Amino acid sequence: MTPAILETALYAEDLDAAEAFYGGVLELEKIVRVKNRHVFFKLDQSVLLIFNPSETAEVDMSRPLPVPPHGASGPGHACFRAEGDALDAWEAKLKAFGVEIEQHITWPNGARSFYFRDPEGNSLEFGEGKLWELE
């Protein structure tokens, strides 16, 4: 049995900017936002969690669900899947919002991807599924 990723976490101190970027630019559906602690977004078969690291570094036992402490410093990475023309459409959309494309890569197996940053500096990528033989 092979597990699937249910959720992926990135960290951002400025949740307002993160919510505007992921909800507005990437058009992800917001599931919930809890004050300055976190904002969660629905993807196709998973969830993207954006946590404020200073708010998740310690466990709050008064919360109904006291999740163990976690967090990260420095930029994280996530790759969104897009195929063929959709990959090109995402690049055009990001450019229209003034998002700088850092790098284009054609991988040895012919898969294409490109890299960009969110407002917090996290490294994001759009890539074709064949990058990982997920066609």
mmCIF file of all heavy atoms in Angstrom, residues 100-120:
data_model
loop_
_atom_site.group_PDB
_atom_site.id
_atom_site.type_symbol
_atom_site.label_atom_id
_atom_site.label_comp_id
_atom_site.label_asym_id
_atom_site.label_seq_id
_atom_site.Cartn_x
_atom_site.Cartn_y
_atom_site.Cartn_z
ATOM 1 N N GLU A 100 7.316 37.099 -10.822
ATOM 2 C CA GLU A 100 8.518 36.812 -11.607
ATOM 3 C C GLU A 100 8.732 35.306 -11.719
ATOM 4 O O GLU A 100 8.676 34.587 -10.722
ATOM 5 C CB GLU A 100 9.745 37.434 -10.934
ATOM 6 C CG GLU A 100 11.037 37.151 -11.666
ATOM 7 C CD GLU A 100 12.267 37.653 -10.925
ATOM 8 O OE1 GLU A 100 12.120 38.390 -9.942
ATOM 9 O OE2 GLU A 100 13.373 37.279 -11.339
ATOM 10 N N ILE A 101 8.975 34.836 -12.920
ATOM 11 C CA ILE A 101 9.325 33.434 -13.143
ATOM 12 C C ILE A 101 10.845 33.345 -13.011
ATOM 13 O O ILE A 101 11.578 33.999 -13.755
ATOM 14 C CB ILE A 101 8.856 32.941 -14.528
ATOM 15 C CG1 ILE A 101 7.353 33.185 -14.717
ATOM 16 C CG2 ILE A 101 9.224 31.471 -14.725
ATOM 17 C CD1 ILE A 101 6.448 32.583 -13.666
ATOM 18 N N GLU A 102 11.311 32.551 -12.048
ATOM 19 C CA GLU A 102 12.747 32.460 -11.768
ATOM 20 C C GLU A 102 13.498 31.555 -12.726
ATOM 21 O O GLU A 102 14.622 31.833 -13.102
ATOM 22 C CB GLU A 102 12.978 31.913 -10.359
ATOM 23 C CG GLU A 102 12.647 32.867 -9.261
ATOM 24 C CD GLU A 102 13.076 32.314 -7.916
ATOM 25 O OE1 GLU A 102 12.945 31.103 -7.672
ATOM 26 O OE2 GLU A 102 13.562 33.123 -7.113
ATOM 27 N N GLN A 103 12.890 30.445 -13.084
ATOM 28 C CA GLN A 103 13.621 29.456 -13.878
ATOM 29 C C GLN A 103 12.651 28.557 -14.621
ATOM 30 O O GLN A 103 11.624 28.164 -14.083
ATOM 31 C CB GLN A 103 14.491 28.607 -12.939
ATOM 32 C CG GLN A 103 15.408 27.618 -13.606
ATOM 33 C CD GLN A 103 16.581 28.300 -14.280
ATOM 34 O OE1 GLN A 103 17.024 29.358 -13.853
ATOM 35 N NE2 GLN A 103 17.079 27.708 -15.336
ATOM 36 N N HIS A 104 12.989 28.230 -15.854
ATOM 37 C CA HIS A 104 12.302 27.201 -16.637
ATOM 38 C C HIS A 104 13.244 26.010 -16.733
ATOM 39 O O HIS A 104 14.442 26.197 -16.962
ATOM 40 C CB HIS A 104 12.010 27.678 -18.065
ATOM 41 C CG HIS A 104 10.999 28.757 -18.138
ATOM 42 N ND1 HIS A 104 11.334 30.095 -18.061
ATOM 43 C CD2 HIS A 104 9.655 28.711 -18.275
ATOM 44 C CE1 HIS A 104 10.239 30.824 -18.158
ATOM 45 N NE2 HIS A 104 9.205 30.013 -18.281
ATOM 46 N N ILE A 105 12.699 24.822 -16.587
ATOM 47 C CA ILE A 105 13.531 23.622 -16.716
ATOM 48 C C ILE A 105 12.800 22.610 -17.587
ATOM 49 O O ILE A 105 11.608 22.373 -17.416
ATOM 50 C CB ILE A 105 13.846 22.994 -15.343
ATOM 51 C CG1 ILE A 105 14.689 23.964 -14.515
ATOM 52 C CG2 ILE A 105 14.562 21.657 -15.502
ATOM 53 C CD1 ILE A 105 15.093 23.479 -13.161
ATOM 54 N N THR A 106 13.533 22.039 -18.530
ATOM 55 C CA THR A 106 13.065 20.847 -19.236
ATOM 56 C C THR A 106 13.924 19.714 -18.694
ATOM 57 O O THR A 106 15.147 19.701 -18.873
ATOM 58 C CB THR A 106 13.215 20.985 -20.758
ATOM 59 O OG1 THR A 106 12.438 22.105 -21.183
ATOM 60 C CG2 THR A 106 12.711 19.723 -21.461
ATOM 61 N N TRP A 107 13.284 18.799 -17.990
ATOM 62 C CA TRP A 107 13.972 17.715 -17.293
ATOM 63 C C TRP A 107 14.426 16.643 -18.277
ATOM 64 O O TRP A 107 13.935 16.593 -19.420
ATOM 65 C CB TRP A 107 13.050 17.136 -16.214
ATOM 66 C CG TRP A 107 12.729 18.192 -15.185
ATOM 67 C CD1 TRP A 107 11.649 19.034 -15.169
ATOM 68 C CD2 TRP A 107 13.518 18.554 -14.060
ATOM 69 N NE1 TRP A 107 11.722 19.892 -14.108
ATOM 70 C CE2 TRP A 107 12.855 19.614 -13.395
ATOM 71 C CE3 TRP A 107 14.715 18.089 -13.532
ATOM 72 C CZ2 TRP A 107 13.362 20.206 -12.237
ATOM 73 C CZ3 TRP A 107 15.208 18.671 -12.370
ATOM 74 C CH2 TRP A 107 14.531 19.717 -11.741
ATOM 75 N N PRO A 108 15.375 15.780 -17.909
ATOM 76 C CA PRO A 108 15.908 14.763 -18.825
ATOM 77 C C PRO A 108 14.833 13.894 -19.491
ATOM 78 O O PRO A 108 15.005 13.471 -20.628
ATOM 79 C CB PRO A 108 16.831 13.921 -17.944
ATOM 80 C CG PRO A 108 17.309 14.880 -16.913
ATOM 81 C CD PRO A 108 16.118 15.765 -16.631
ATOM 82 N N ASN A 109 13.701 13.678 -18.811
ATOM 83 C CA ASN A 109 12.646 12.858 -19.412
ATOM 84 C C ASN A 109 11.683 13.683 -20.265
ATOM 85 O O ASN A 109 10.669 13.175 -20.737
ATOM 86 C CB ASN A 109 11.875 12.089 -18.338
ATOM 87 C CG ASN A 109 11.049 12.977 -17.436
ATOM 88 O OD1 ASN A 109 11.065 14.204 -17.555
ATOM 89 N ND2 ASN A 109 10.328 12.375 -16.513
ATOM 90 N N GLY A 110 11.981 14.983 -20.466
ATOM 91 C CA GLY A 110 11.154 15.837 -21.316
ATOM 92 C C GLY A 110 10.090 16.621 -20.571
ATOM 93 O O GLY A 110 9.434 17.479 -21.159
ATOM 94 N N ALA A 111 9.900 16.358 -19.288
ATOM 95 C CA ALA A 111 8.916 17.104 -18.504
ATOM 96 C C ALA A 111 9.363 18.547 -18.363
ATOM 97 O O ALA A 111 10.543 18.842 -18.234
ATOM 98 C CB ALA A 111 8.744 16.474 -17.124
ATOM 99 N N ARG A 112 8.400 19.450 -18.387
ATOM 100 C CA ARG A 112 8.686 20.874 -18.230
ATOM 101 C C ARG A 112 8.200 21.348 -16.864
ATOM 102 O O ARG A 112 7.200 20.854 -16.337
ATOM 103 C CB ARG A 112 7.967 21.696 -19.299
ATOM 104 C CG ARG A 112 8.388 21.390 -20.706
ATOM 105 C CD ARG A 112 7.632 22.240 -21.724
ATOM 106 N NE ARG A 112 6.191 22.070 -21.585
ATOM 107 C CZ ARG A 112 5.305 23.067 -21.632
ATOM 108 N NH1 ARG A 112 5.685 24.310 -21.823
ATOM 109 N NH2 ARG A 112 4.009 22.829 -21.502
ATOM 110 N N SER A 113 8.895 22.320 -16.311
ATOM 111 C CA SER A 113 8.427 22.975 -15.099
ATOM 112 C C SER A 113 8.999 24.383 -15.037
ATOM 113 O O SER A 113 9.930 24.715 -15.774
ATOM 114 C CB SER A 113 8.818 22.184 -13.842
ATOM 115 O OG SER A 113 10.192 22.270 -13.570
ATOM 116 N N PHE A 114 8.403 25.201 -14.180
ATOM 117 C CA PHE A 114 8.950 26.533 -13.934
ATOM 118 C C PHE A 114 8.779 26.882 -12.458
ATOM 119 O O PHE A 114 7.886 26.385 -11.786
ATOM 120 C CB PHE A 114 8.339 27.597 -14.855
ATOM 121 C CG PHE A 114 6.876 27.862 -14.640
ATOM 122 C CD1 PHE A 114 6.455 28.792 -13.685
ATOM 123 C CD2 PHE A 114 5.924 27.211 -15.402
ATOM 124 C CE1 PHE A 114 5.102 29.048 -13.499
ATOM 125 C CE2 PHE A 114 4.571 27.458 -15.219
ATOM 126 C CZ PHE A 114 4.160 28.383 -14.262
ATOM 127 N N TYR A 115 9.694 27.730 -11.992
ATOM 128 C CA TYR A 115 9.760 28.114 -10.584
ATOM 129 C C TYR A 115 9.433 29.592 -10.392
ATOM 130 O O TYR A 115 9.772 30.433 -11.230
ATOM 131 C CB TYR A 115 11.171 27.879 -10.036
ATOM 132 C CG TYR A 115 11.541 26.428 -9.903
ATOM 133 C CD1 TYR A 115 11.966 25.699 -11.000
ATOM 134 C CD2 TYR A 115 11.477 25.786 -8.673
ATOM 135 C CE1 TYR A 115 12.323 24.361 -10.881
ATOM 136 C CE2 TYR A 115 11.833 24.451 -8.535
ATOM 137 C CZ TYR A 115 12.251 23.748 -9.647
ATOM 138 O OH TYR A 115 12.594 22.416 -9.526
ATOM 139 N N PHE A 116 8.817 29.894 -9.242
ATOM 140 C CA PHE A 116 8.484 31.266 -8.864
ATOM 141 C C PHE A 116 8.391 31.308 -7.337
ATOM 142 O O PHE A 116 8.569 30.280 -6.678
ATOM 143 C CB PHE A 116 7.177 31.716 -9.535
ATOM 144 C CG PHE A 116 5.985 30.849 -9.213
ATOM 145 C CD1 PHE A 116 5.041 31.262 -8.288
ATOM 146 C CD2 PHE A 116 5.800 29.618 -9.838
ATOM 147 C CE1 PHE A 116 3.935 30.466 -7.990
ATOM 148 C CE2 PHE A 116 4.696 28.815 -9.548
ATOM 149 C CZ PHE A 116 3.768 29.248 -8.618
ATOM 150 N N ARG A 117 8.144 32.474 -6.766
ATOM 151 C CA ARG A 117 8.094 32.640 -5.307
ATOM 152 C C ARG A 117 6.752 33.217 -4.869
ATOM 153 O O ARG A 117 6.151 34.011 -5.588
ATOM 154 C CB ARG A 117 9.191 33.594 -4.826
ATOM 155 C CG ARG A 117 10.581 33.167 -5.183
ATOM 156 C CD ARG A 117 11.210 32.386 -4.104
ATOM 157 N NE ARG A 117 12.480 31.819 -4.570
ATOM 158 C CZ ARG A 117 13.229 31.053 -3.832
ATOM 159 N NH1 ARG A 117 12.870 30.747 -2.597
ATOM 160 N NH2 ARG A 117 14.343 30.549 -4.319
ATOM 161 N N ASP A 118 6.326 32.807 -3.676
ATOM 162 C CA ASP A 118 5.165 33.453 -3.071
ATOM 163 C C ASP A 118 5.645 34.690 -2.317
ATOM 164 O O ASP A 118 6.859 34.942 -2.244
ATOM 165 C CB ASP A 118 4.379 32.476 -2.195
ATOM 166 C CG ASP A 118 5.033 32.131 -0.864
ATOM 167 O OD1 ASP A 118 6.108 32.674 -0.530
ATOM 168 O OD2 ASP A 118 4.460 31.293 -0.143
ATOM 169 N N PRO A 119 4.742 35.510 -1.760
ATOM 170 C CA PRO A 119 5.178 36.739 -1.082
ATOM 171 C C PRO A 119 6.123 36.497 0.102
ATOM 172 O O PRO A 119 6.891 37.385 0.465
ATOM 173 C CB PRO A 119 3.872 37.372 -0.608
ATOM 174 C CG PRO A 119 2.841 36.849 -1.543
ATOM 175 C CD PRO A 119 3.282 35.454 -1.879
ATOM 176 N N GLU A 120 6.090 35.319 0.696
ATOM 177 C CA GLU A 120 6.952 34.999 1.831
ATOM 178 C C GLU A 120 8.327 34.516 1.391
ATOM 179 O O GLU A 120 9.232 34.373 2.195
ATOM 180 C CB GLU A 120 6.284 33.924 2.697
ATOM 181 C CG GLU A 120 6.903 33.717 4.045
ATOM 182 C CD GLU A 120 6.636 34.837 5.037
ATOM 183 O OE1 GLU A 120 5.662 35.602 4.864
ATOM 184 O OE2 GLU A 120 7.409 34.948 6.003
#
